[in-house]
DNA sequence: ATAAACTGTGGAGCTTACTCTACAGTCAAG
DNA sequence: CTTGACTGTAGAGTAAGCTCCACAGTTTAT
């Protein structure tokens, strides 16, 4: 598929997609005879993962490193395992912190009379 | 306490702390007779919360809005409840996404022989 | 009493992550 | 066959979030 459709499927602008290509967060797409970029559905999935990870506070560099780790086997198994374990722990820590912040918010809500009516 | 001690307790630089003051993420501290800033322990806690929230992908603006919501009662109860519920749901979504990413990583780890030995 | 450390201000500069501009080729519809 | 939507490239500009600099007053230790 071409750029336009990818922008519609991902909510990203063409500039952002091109930027991610330049920064090697996604593989360079194949090209049509006219030079137009042709994207695979896999790339669309990758772009959506990038968006998710960004919302969770990962930088583009971290995302790049992590996806390369998950996708390739050019590291020793030990090195890769170590990095993945590190990331896994980071994520656990984030989940814990989010849970704490949510508790704060929910506590504030509990103190308000409308609480029980609005919480879905 | 003075700036130096706050930098040690929070891991933030004096510049960052001053920046947060300028951006009104923390209240302007009281001043000593010589003009030096005197911070309360509450502000130190606030700074640590800011750091946490930043790690979780919240922007400074979102953090500012959220802390003002939690700290003040200048909104109608309904408006405040609505915003807090919205934030609470956003956080739930983040937790879900983090859990998904962690599952990916842990799955990759499970496929590796060293997995059982290294996972704490 | 003087050097070293700390604090203040204002403003410039930097990095990340886009976002936009300018200009040109391509393609589909009327 | 031309008009408008789409695509391409290169490079400049922008916003957020710091980070650093220059210069000046204060305080502490020796």
């Amino acid at each position: 598929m071409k750029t336009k459709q990818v922008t519609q499927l991902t909510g990203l602008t063409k500039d952002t997609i091109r930027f991610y290509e330049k920064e090697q967060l996604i593989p360079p797409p194949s090209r049509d005879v006219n030079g137009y970029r042709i994207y695979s559905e896999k790339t669309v999935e990758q772009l959506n993962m990038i968006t998710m990870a960004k919302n969770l506070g990962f930088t583009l560099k971290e995302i790049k490193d992590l996806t390369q780790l998950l996708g390739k086997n050019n590291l020793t198994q030990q090195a890769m395992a170590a990095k993945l374990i590190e990331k896994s722990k980071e994520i656990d820590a984030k989940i814990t912190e989010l849970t704490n912040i949510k508790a704060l918010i929910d506590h504030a809500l509990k103190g308000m009379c409308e609480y029980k009516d609005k919480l879905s």
Side-chain angles (χ1 to χ4, degrees), chain A residues 72-89:
Chain A
K72 292 181 186 174
N73 272 32
N74 48 2
L75 289 159
T76 68
Q77 298 266 304
Q78 286 96 331
M80 189 152 123
K83 288 196 183 212
L84 289 177
I85 287 167
E86 189 190 320
K87 280 289 169 196
S88 179
K89 285 182 181 167

Side-chain angles (χ1 to χ4, degrees), chain A residues 94-120:
Chain A
K94 284 193 181 197
I95 290 174
T96 303
E97 290 184 352
L98 277 173
T99 306
N100 289 341
I101 289 182
K102 187 172 147 57
L104 268 182
I105 290 175
D106 289 349
H107 180 75
L109 275 168
K110 214 159 256 165
M112 299 173 59
C113 46
E114 297 86 351
Y115 182 59
K116 65 178 182 312
D117 306 89
K118 296 228 173 163
L119 194 63
S120 76

Side-chain angles (χ1 to χ4, degrees), chain A residues 14-78:
Chain A
K14 69 177 179 54
D15 286 321
T16 301
I17 297 166
R18 269 188 12 85
F19 177 73
Y20 288 169
E21 180 186 336
K22 196 169 65 183
E23 298 294 313
Q24 302 182 60
L25 277 108
I26 53 171
S30 53
R31 298 294 183 123
D32 208 340
V33 275
N34 51 22
Y36 287 15
R37 288 171 177 80
I38 304 294
Y39 294 97
S40 68
E41 303 203 345
K42 184 153 172 284
T43 302
V44 173
E45 281 170 39
Q46 285 178 304
L47 287 168
N48 286 330
M49 283 296 288
I50 292 169
T51 302
M52 257 196 280
K54 256 173 40 60
N55 287 336
L56 298 168
F58 294 99
T59 64
L60 294 188
K61 185 170 184 334
E62 285 174 327
I63 295 167
K64 182 178 167 183
D65 292 350
L66 188 54
T67 53
Q68 285 180 353
L69 267 180
L70 288 170
K72 292 181 186 174
N73 272 32
N74 48 2
L75 289 159
T76 68
Q77 298 266 304
Q78 286 96 331

